[in-house]
Amino acid sequence: MKKSIIITAALMSCFLLTACGSQSSSSKESSSTAAQSSTAKSSSKKSSQSDIQIQKASSSSDSFSSASSTAKTAKVDDKTTGVMLALLVEPDWFKEYIGNDFFCYSPAGENPISDAVADYSYLTANGDPTSFLYYKVDGNTVTYKMWVSSDEGSVSDGHFETKTVSLSTLINDYYVTQSQRDEVNSYVSQLRSESDYLNQNQ
């Protein structure tokens, strides 16, 4: 009888120990699963935030590229370039004479003045050498020449000064908004041909 009770007690102990071990293992597995789920959610959230940041950066980059390419996409002809250049370097002189019959434009090579400016276009008020603005476009670079009087004020003893400006700078400063374009195009329409002027005054 005592042996039977002892055996029964021993079996009960083994059963209880097995059950506890199973519960502990189940609890550990549950905790591990919860931790993995939490990590996955955290990783998913970070990945989502990272994707959003990349999209924002891409959008910002596209906007910058669009803004910086404005000057490149704008197309202007040689005469329009001359008008914008005159507005930059001699605005008072240009606005005083534009619209007069003697204020003219000549494309490069059509009415050569001298070898020094043979491949330059020019705007002129047809006065002395200081009334000419010579220029040529090479890609994004506009090179221009103006006759400068000597220190004593003598025009005949003067010399050419050569400078450069980027075409994109001219476009960004004078040819972006519709009102700017309208103003520049209005000036362009008032420019006479130098050849016509010279033929009429021979």
Side-chain angles (χ1 to χ4, degrees):
M1 182 71 177
K2 289 183 179 178
K3 286 182 179 180
S4 176
I5 293 171
I6 291 171
I7 291 170
T8 300
L11 288 172
M12 289 291 290
S13 297
C14 288
F15 177 76
L16 290 172
L17 287 173
T18 302
C20 288
S22 176
Q23 287 179 351
S24 174
S25 174
S26 176
S27 176
K28 287 179 181 178
E29 288 178 3
S30 177
S31 298
S32 175
T33 301
Q36 290 176 353
S37 176
S38 175
T39 301
K41 287 180 180 178
S42 175
S43 175
S44 176
K45 187 180 292 184
K46 287 180 181 178
S47 176
S48 178
Q49 290 175 345
S50 176
D51 289 343
I52 292 173
Q53 289 175 347
I54 291 172
Q55 289 173 356
K56 287 181 178 179
S58 177
S59 176
S60 176
S61 176
D62 290 344
S63 296
F64 176 78
S65 297
S66 176
S68 64
S69 65
T70 299
K72 294 180 181 179
T73 57
K75 300 295 183 182
V76 295
D77 60 19
D78 190 65
K79 189 184 292 188
T80 303
T81 299
V83 167
M84 293 188 296
L85 179 63
L87 289 171
L88 174 69
V89 300
E90 288 287 353
D92 294 337
W93 166 79
F94 177 76
K95 290 180 180 180
E96 179 180 357
Y97 294 112
I98 184 68
N100 286 288
D101 289 343
F102 53 79
F103 197 89
C104 303
Y105 158 80
S106 179
E110 187 169 286
N111 300 287
I113 303 298
S114 70
D115 292 341
V117 289
D119 57 344
Y120 283 69
S121 301
Y122 64 81
L123 300 181
T124 179
N126 279 294
D128 63 35
T130 62
S131 69
F132 286 74
L133 172 60
Y134 304 93
Y135 64 95
K136 67 177 177 179
V137 182
D138 182 12
N140 191 44
T141 301
V142 180
T143 303
Y144 62 98
K145 293 186 177 187
M146 298 179 70
W147 188 262
V148 179
S149 301
S150 67
D151 293 338
E152 293 74 27
S154 171
V155 174
S156 59
D157 293 330
H159 62 281
F160 276 122
E161 278 191 356
T162 304
K163 298 180 180 180
T164 61
V165 64
S166 68
L167 180 58
S168 58
T169 293
L170 294 177
I171 293 173
N172 286 333
D173 287 350
Y174 300 102
Y175 211 69
V176 174
T177 68
Q178 190 59 53
S179 61
Q180 287 177 322
R181 293 187 180 207
D182 290 344
E183 179 182 6
V184 170
N185 292 338
S186 173
Y187 292 142
V188 170
S189 68
Q190 297 178 61
L191 284 173
R192 289 193 60 191
S193 163
E194 175 75 337
S195 293
D196 291 345
Y197 173 80
L198 292 176
N199 290 333
Q200 290 177 3
N201 291 275
Q202 284 182 343

PDB file of all heavy atoms in Angstrom, residues 34-64:
ATOM      1  N   ALA A  34       6.708  37.178 -30.185  1.00  0.00           N
ATOM      2  CA  ALA A  34       6.297  38.575 -29.992  1.00  0.00           C
ATOM      3  C   ALA A  34       7.457  39.509 -30.298  1.00  0.00           C
ATOM      4  O   ALA A  34       7.303  40.554 -30.919  1.00  0.00           O
ATOM      5  CB  ALA A  34       5.791  38.783 -28.562  1.00  0.00           C
ATOM      6  N   ALA A  35       8.659  39.130 -29.845  1.00  0.00           N
ATOM      7  CA  ALA A  35       9.843  39.969 -30.077  1.00  0.00           C
ATOM      8  C   ALA A  35      10.137  40.064 -31.563  1.00  0.00           C
ATOM      9  O   ALA A  35      10.446  41.124 -32.090  1.00  0.00           O
ATOM     10  CB  ALA A  35      11.063  39.397 -29.337  1.00  0.00           C
ATOM     11  N   GLN A  36      10.041  38.896 -32.248  1.00  0.00           N
ATOM     12  CA  GLN A  36      10.287  38.899 -33.686  1.00  0.00           C
ATOM     13  C   GLN A  36       9.269  39.760 -34.407  1.00  0.00           C
ATOM     14  O   GLN A  36       9.590  40.502 -35.325  1.00  0.00           O
ATOM     15  CB  GLN A  36      10.234  37.471 -34.228  1.00  0.00           C
ATOM     16  CG  GLN A  36      11.416  36.608 -33.784  1.00  0.00           C
ATOM     17  CD  GLN A  36      11.275  35.166 -34.259  1.00  0.00           C
ATOM     18  OE1 GLN A  36      10.244  34.800 -34.803  1.00  0.00           O
ATOM     19  NE2 GLN A  36      12.316  34.374 -34.031  1.00  0.00           N
ATOM     20  N   SER A  37       7.991  39.646 -33.967  1.00  0.00           N
ATOM     21  CA  SER A  37       6.932  40.446 -34.583  1.00  0.00           C
ATOM     22  C   SER A  37       7.188  41.922 -34.380  1.00  0.00           C
ATOM     23  O   SER A  37       7.042  42.736 -35.289  1.00  0.00           O
ATOM     24  CB  SER A  37       5.582  40.067 -33.985  1.00  0.00           C
ATOM     25  OG  SER A  37       4.559  40.891 -34.506  1.00  0.00           O
ATOM     26  N   SER A  38       7.618  42.299 -33.151  1.00  0.00           N
ATOM     27  CA  SER A  38       7.912  43.706 -32.838  1.00  0.00           C
ATOM     28  C   SER A  38       9.068  44.208 -33.683  1.00  0.00           C
ATOM     29  O   SER A  38       9.048  45.303 -34.222  1.00  0.00           O
ATOM     30  CB  SER A  38       8.236  43.846 -31.344  1.00  0.00           C
ATOM     31  OG  SER A  38       8.621  45.166 -31.049  1.00  0.00           O
ATOM     32  N   THR A  39      10.120  43.363 -33.810  1.00  0.00           N
ATOM     33  CA  THR A  39      11.289  43.738 -34.617  1.00  0.00           C
ATOM     34  C   THR A  39      10.898  43.921 -36.077  1.00  0.00           C
ATOM     35  O   THR A  39      11.324  44.852 -36.747  1.00  0.00           O
ATOM     36  CB  THR A  39      12.377  42.652 -34.516  1.00  0.00           C
ATOM     37  OG1 THR A  39      12.747  42.499 -33.156  1.00  0.00           O
ATOM     38  CG2 THR A  39      13.604  43.033 -35.340  1.00  0.00           C
ATOM     39  N   ALA A  40      10.051  42.994 -36.566  1.00  0.00           N
ATOM     40  CA  ALA A  40       9.610  43.081 -37.965  1.00  0.00           C
ATOM     41  C   ALA A  40       8.830  44.360 -38.201  1.00  0.00           C
ATOM     42  O   ALA A  40       9.009  45.034 -39.201  1.00  0.00           O
ATOM     43  CB  ALA A  40       8.754  41.873 -38.318  1.00  0.00           C
ATOM     44  N   LYS A  41       7.935  44.705 -37.226  1.00  0.00           N
ATOM     45  CA  LYS A  41       7.157  45.930 -37.368  1.00  0.00           C
ATOM     46  C   LYS A  41       8.071  47.152 -37.368  1.00  0.00           C
ATOM     47  O   LYS A  41       7.908  48.069 -38.149  1.00  0.00           O
ATOM     48  CB  LYS A  41       6.151  46.042 -36.225  1.00  0.00           C
ATOM     49  CG  LYS A  41       4.974  45.075 -36.350  1.00  0.00           C
ATOM     50  CD  LYS A  41       4.022  45.241 -35.193  1.00  0.00           C
ATOM     51  CE  LYS A  41       2.842  44.270 -35.304  1.00  0.00           C
ATOM     52  NZ  LYS A  41       1.928  44.412 -34.146  1.00  0.00           N
ATOM     53  N   SER A  42       9.038  47.137 -36.427  1.00  0.00           N
ATOM     54  CA  SER A  42       9.974  48.265 -36.339  1.00  0.00           C
ATOM     55  C   SER A  42      10.766  48.398 -37.623  1.00  0.00           C
ATOM     56  O   SER A  42      10.963  49.483 -38.159  1.00  0.00           O
ATOM     57  CB  SER A  42      10.917  48.064 -35.152  1.00  0.00           C
ATOM     58  OG  SER A  42      11.889  49.069 -35.106  1.00  0.00           O
ATOM     59  N   SER A  43      11.235  47.228 -38.141  1.00  0.00           N
ATOM     60  CA  SER A  43      12.011  47.237 -39.379  1.00  0.00           C
ATOM     61  C   SER A  43      11.163  47.726 -40.533  1.00  0.00           C
ATOM     62  O   SER A  43      11.600  48.502 -41.372  1.00  0.00           O
ATOM     63  CB  SER A  43      12.533  45.826 -39.664  1.00  0.00           C
ATOM     64  OG  SER A  43      13.191  45.783 -40.896  1.00  0.00           O
ATOM     65  N   SER A  44       9.885  47.282 -40.564  1.00  0.00           N
ATOM     66  CA  SER A  44       8.978  47.705 -41.631  1.00  0.00           C
ATOM     67  C   SER A  44       8.734  49.195 -41.573  1.00  0.00           C
ATOM     68  O   SER A  44       8.701  49.877 -42.588  1.00  0.00           O
ATOM     69  CB  SER A  44       7.652  46.946 -41.496  1.00  0.00           C
ATOM     70  OG  SER A  44       6.730  47.400 -42.451  1.00  0.00           O
ATOM     71  N   LYS A  45       8.586  49.738 -40.345  1.00  0.00           N
ATOM     72  CA  LYS A  45       8.329  51.170 -40.173  1.00  0.00           C
ATOM     73  C   LYS A  45       9.540  51.980 -40.644  1.00  0.00           C
ATOM     74  O   LYS A  45       9.414  52.967 -41.336  1.00  0.00           O
ATOM     75  CB  LYS A  45       8.030  51.464 -38.709  1.00  0.00           C
ATOM     76  CG  LYS A  45       7.591  52.894 -38.443  1.00  0.00           C
ATOM     77  CD  LYS A  45       7.302  53.112 -36.968  1.00  0.00           C
ATOM     78  CE  LYS A  45       6.082  52.330 -36.536  1.00  0.00           C
ATOM     79  NZ  LYS A  45       5.722  52.606 -35.133  1.00  0.00           N
ATOM     80  N   LYS A  46      10.760  51.518 -40.262  1.00  0.00           N
ATOM     81  CA  LYS A  46      11.973  52.227 -40.676  1.00  0.00           C
ATOM     82  C   LYS A  46      12.112  52.187 -42.186  1.00  0.00           C
ATOM     83  O   LYS A  46      12.490  53.160 -42.814  1.00  0.00           O
ATOM     84  CB  LYS A  46      13.197  51.585 -40.019  1.00  0.00           C
ATOM     85  CG  LYS A  46      13.312  51.874 -38.533  1.00  0.00           C
ATOM     86  CD  LYS A  46      14.544  51.217 -37.953  1.00  0.00           C
ATOM     87  CE  LYS A  46      14.671  51.482 -36.468  1.00  0.00           C
ATOM     88  NZ  LYS A  46      15.837  50.804 -35.873  1.00  0.00           N
ATOM     89  N   SER A  47      11.813  51.012 -42.769  1.00  0.00           N
ATOM     90  CA  SER A  47      11.917  50.880 -44.215  1.00  0.00           C
ATOM     91  C   SER A  47      10.942  51.818 -44.908  1.00  0.00           C
ATOM     92  O   SER A  47      11.272  52.465 -45.895  1.00  0.00           O
ATOM     93  CB  SER A  47      11.625  49.435 -44.614  1.00  0.00           C
ATOM     94  OG  SER A  47      11.637  49.302 -46.011  1.00  0.00           O
ATOM     95  N   SER A  48       9.722  51.916 -44.350  1.00  0.00           N
ATOM     96  CA  SER A  48       8.709  52.800 -44.924  1.00  0.00           C
ATOM     97  C   SER A  48       9.140  54.252 -44.843  1.00  0.00           C
ATOM     98  O   SER A  48       9.025  55.009 -45.792  1.00  0.00           O
ATOM     99  CB  SER A  48       7.380  52.603 -44.193  1.00  0.00           C
ATOM    100  OG  SER A  48       6.399  53.473 -44.703  1.00  0.00           O
ATOM    101  N   GLN A  49       9.679  54.636 -43.665  1.00  0.00           N
ATOM    102  CA  GLN A  49      10.161  56.012 -43.493  1.00  0.00           C
ATOM    103  C   GLN A  49      11.307  56.307 -44.440  1.00  0.00           C
ATOM    104  O   GLN A  49      11.406  57.385 -45.013  1.00  0.00           O
ATOM    105  CB  GLN A  49      10.599  56.232 -42.048  1.00  0.00           C
ATOM    106  CG  GLN A  49       9.437  56.249 -41.062  1.00  0.00           C
ATOM    107  CD  GLN A  49       9.920  56.350 -39.623  1.00  0.00           C
ATOM    108  OE1 GLN A  49      11.097  56.127 -39.344  1.00  0.00           O
ATOM    109  NE2 GLN A  49       9.012  56.663 -38.718  1.00  0.00           N
ATOM    110  N   SER A  50      12.195  55.307 -44.618  1.00  0.00           N
ATOM    111  CA  SER A  50      13.333  55.482 -45.525  1.00  0.00           C
ATOM    112  C   SER A  50      12.850  55.680 -46.950  1.00  0.00           C
ATOM    113  O   SER A  50      13.355  56.524 -47.679  1.00  0.00           O
ATOM    114  CB  SER A  50      14.241  54.255 -45.447  1.00  0.00           C
ATOM    115  OG  SER A  50      15.294  54.354 -46.377  1.00  0.00           O
ATOM    116  N   ASP A  51      11.831  54.885 -47.364  1.00  0.00           N
ATOM    117  CA  ASP A  51      11.280  55.024 -48.720  1.00  0.00           C
ATOM    118  C   ASP A  51      10.692  56.409 -48.924  1.00  0.00           C
ATOM    119  O   ASP A  51      10.864  57.018 -49.977  1.00  0.00           O
ATOM    120  CB  ASP A  51      10.193  53.973 -48.957  1.00  0.00           C
ATOM    121  CG  ASP A  51      10.779  52.567 -49.073  1.00  0.00           C
ATOM    122  OD1 ASP A  51      12.002  52.479 -49.284  1.00  0.00           O
ATOM    123  OD2 ASP A  51      10.015  51.604 -48.942  1.00  0.00           O
ATOM    124  N   ILE A  52       9.984  56.927 -47.889  1.00  0.00           N
ATOM    125  CA  ILE A  52       9.385  58.262 -47.989  1.00  0.00           C
ATOM    126  C   ILE A  52      10.466  59.325 -48.148  1.00  0.00           C
ATOM    127  O   ILE A  52      10.362  60.248 -48.942  1.00  0.00           O
ATOM    128  CB  ILE A  52       8.525  58.558 -46.743  1.00  0.00           C
ATOM    129  CG1 ILE A  52       7.285  57.651 -46.746  1.00  0.00           C
ATOM    130  CG2 ILE A  52       8.100  60.016 -46.713  1.00  0.00           C
ATOM    131  CD1 ILE A  52       6.463  57.726 -45.488  1.00  0.00           C
ATOM    132  N   GLN A  53      11.550  59.195 -47.357  1.00  0.00           N
ATOM    133  CA  GLN A  53      12.651  60.171 -47.430  1.00  0.00           C
ATOM    134  C   GLN A  53      13.300  60.141 -48.800  1.00  0.00           C
ATOM    135  O   GLN A  53      13.639  61.171 -49.363  1.00  0.00           O
ATOM    136  CB  GLN A  53      13.687  59.867 -46.344  1.00  0.00           C
ATOM    137  CG  GLN A  53      13.189  60.186 -44.935  1.00  0.00           C
ATOM    138  CD  GLN A  53      14.184  59.766 -43.876  1.00  0.00           C
ATOM    139  OE1 GLN A  53      15.131  59.035 -44.161  1.00  0.00           O
ATOM    140  NE2 GLN A  53      13.979  60.212 -42.654  1.00  0.00           N
ATOM    141  N   ILE A  54      13.471  58.927 -49.357  1.00  0.00           N
ATOM    142  CA  ILE A  54      14.075  58.809 -50.689  1.00  0.00           C
ATOM    143  C   ILE A  54      13.184  59.453 -51.736  1.00  0.00           C
ATOM    144  O   ILE A  54      13.648  60.152 -52.630  1.00  0.00           O
ATOM    145  CB  ILE A  54      14.314  57.322 -51.029  1.00  0.00           C
ATOM    146  CG1 ILE A  54      15.433  56.753 -50.142  1.00  0.00           C
ATOM    147  CG2 ILE A  54      14.665  57.153 -52.504  1.00  0.00           C
ATOM    148  CD1 ILE A  54      15.609  55.261 -50.270  1.00  0.00           C
ATOM    149  N   GLN A  55      11.851  59.225 -51.597  1.00  0.00           N
ATOM    150  CA  GLN A  55      10.912  59.825 -52.540  1.00  0.00           C
ATOM    151  C   GLN A  55      10.960  61.342 -52.461  1.00  0.00           C
ATOM    152  O   GLN A  55      10.940  62.030 -53.481  1.00  0.00           O
ATOM    153  CB  GLN A  55       9.495  59.331 -52.250  1.00  0.00           C
ATOM    154  CG  GLN A  55       9.278  57.870 -52.623  1.00  0.00           C
ATOM    155  CD  GLN A  55       7.922  57.353 -52.176  1.00  0.00           C
ATOM    156  OE1 GLN A  55       7.176  58.076 -51.530  1.00  0.00           O
ATOM    157  NE2 GLN A  55       7.608  56.118 -52.520  1.00  0.00           N
ATOM    158  N   LYS A  56      11.024  61.887 -51.209  1.00  0.00           N
ATOM    159  CA  LYS A  56      11.107  63.337 -51.042  1.00  0.00           C
ATOM    160  C   LYS A  56      12.385  63.880 -51.648  1.00  0.00           C
ATOM    161  O   LYS A  56      12.388  64.904 -52.307  1.00  0.00           O
ATOM    162  CB  LYS A  56      11.039  63.702 -49.556  1.00  0.00           C
ATOM    163  CG  LYS A  56       9.653  63.536 -48.943  1.00  0.00           C
ATOM    164  CD  LYS A  56       9.665  63.948 -47.488  1.00  0.00           C
ATOM    165  CE  LYS A  56       8.274  63.835 -46.876  1.00  0.00           C
ATOM    166  NZ  LYS A  56       8.282  64.206 -45.431  1.00  0.00           N
ATOM    167  N   ALA A  57      13.505  63.165 -51.403  1.00  0.00           N
ATOM    168  CA  ALA A  57      14.792  63.619 -51.943  1.00  0.00           C
ATOM    169  C   ALA A  57      14.761  63.598 -53.458  1.00  0.00           C
ATOM    170  O   ALA A  57      15.268  64.501 -54.118  1.00  0.00           O
ATOM    171  CB  ALA A  57      15.917  62.721 -51.421  1.00  0.00           C
ATOM    172  N   SER A  58      14.149  62.542 -54.028  1.00  0.00           N
ATOM    173  CA  SER A  58      14.051  62.441 -55.482  1.00  0.00           C
ATOM    174  C   SER A  58      13.213  63.572 -56.045  1.00  0.00           C
ATOM    175  O   SER A  58      13.553  64.174 -57.054  1.00  0.00           O
ATOM    176  CB  SER A  58      13.433  61.092 -55.849  1.00  0.00           C
ATOM    177  OG  SER A  58      13.257  61.003 -57.240  1.00  0.00           O
ATOM    178  N   SER A  59      12.095  63.870 -55.359  1.00  0.00           N
ATOM    179  CA  SER A  59      11.217  64.960 -55.797  1.00  0.00           C
ATOM    180  C   SER A  59      11.938  66.288 -55.738  1.00  0.00           C
ATOM    181  O   SER A  59      11.852  67.110 -56.643  1.00  0.00           O
ATOM    182  CB  SER A  59       9.973  65.003 -54.917  1.00  0.00           C
ATOM    183  OG  SER A  59       9.163  66.095 -55.264  1.00  0.00           O
ATOM    184  N   SER A  60      12.714  66.503 -54.646  1.00  0.00           N
ATOM    185  CA  SER A  60      13.467  67.748 -54.489  1.00  0.00           C
ATOM    186  C   SER A  60      14.518  67.876 -55.566  1.00  0.00           C
ATOM    187  O   SER A  60      14.728  68.937 -56.141  1.00  0.00           O
ATOM    188  CB  SER A  60      14.120  67.783 -53.099  1.00  0.00           C
ATOM    189  OG  SER A  60      14.932  68.922 -52.959  1.00  0.00           O
ATOM    190  N   SER A  61      15.183  66.740 -55.875  1.00  0.00           N
ATOM    191  CA  SER A  61      16.219  66.740 -56.908  1.00  0.00           C
ATOM    192  C   SER A  61      15.625  67.064 -58.267  1.00  0.00           C
ATOM    193  O   SER A  61      16.199  67.813 -59.042  1.00  0.00           O
ATOM    194  CB  SER A  61      16.897  65.364 -56.944  1.00  0.00           C
ATOM    195  OG  SER A  61      17.830  65.292 -57.993  1.00  0.00           O
ATOM    196  N   ASP A  62      14.429  66.493 -58.554  1.00  0.00           N
ATOM    197  CA  ASP A  62      13.770  66.772 -59.824  1.00  0.00           C
ATOM    198  C   ASP A  62      13.429  68.252 -59.947  1.00  0.00           C
ATOM    199  O   ASP A  62      13.587  68.854 -61.008  1.00  0.00           O
ATOM    200  CB  ASP A  62      12.489  65.946 -59.950  1.00  0.00           C
ATOM    201  CG  ASP A  62      12.785  64.463 -60.127  1.00  0.00           C
ATOM    202  OD1 ASP A  62      13.942  64.146 -60.457  1.00  0.00           O
ATOM    203  OD2 ASP A  62      11.868  63.645 -59.932  1.00  0.00           O
ATOM    204  N   SER A  63      12.960  68.864 -58.833  1.00  0.00           N
ATOM    205  CA  SER A  63      12.604  70.283 -58.853  1.00  0.00           C
ATOM    206  C   SER A  63      13.828  71.136 -59.130  1.00  0.00           C
ATOM    207  O   SER A  63      13.793  72.087 -59.888  1.00  0.00           O
ATOM    208  CB  SER A  63      11.986  70.693 -57.504  1.00  0.00           C
ATOM    209  OG  SER A  63      10.777  69.993 -57.297  1.00  0.00           O
ATOM    210  N   PHE A  64      14.958  70.768 -58.471  1.00  0.00           N
ATOM    211  CA  PHE A  64      16.192  71.529 -58.660  1.00  0.00           C
ATOM    212  C   PHE A  64      16.660  71.418 -60.101  1.00  0.00           C
ATOM    213  O   PHE A  64      17.069  72.394 -60.712  1.00  0.00           O
ATOM    214  CB  PHE A  64      17.274  71.006 -57.716  1.00  0.00           C
ATOM    215  CG  PHE A  64      18.613  71.671 -57.911  1.00  0.00           C
ATOM    216  CD1 PHE A  64      18.853  72.941 -57.401  1.00  0.00           C
ATOM    217  CD2 PHE A  64      19.617  71.038 -58.615  1.00  0.00           C
ATOM    218  CE1 PHE A  64      20.072  73.564 -57.595  1.00  0.00           C
ATOM    219  CE2 PHE A  64      20.840  71.652 -58.807  1.00  0.00           C
ATOM    220  CZ  PHE A  64      21.071  72.911 -58.291  1.00  0.00           C
TER     221      PHE A  64
END
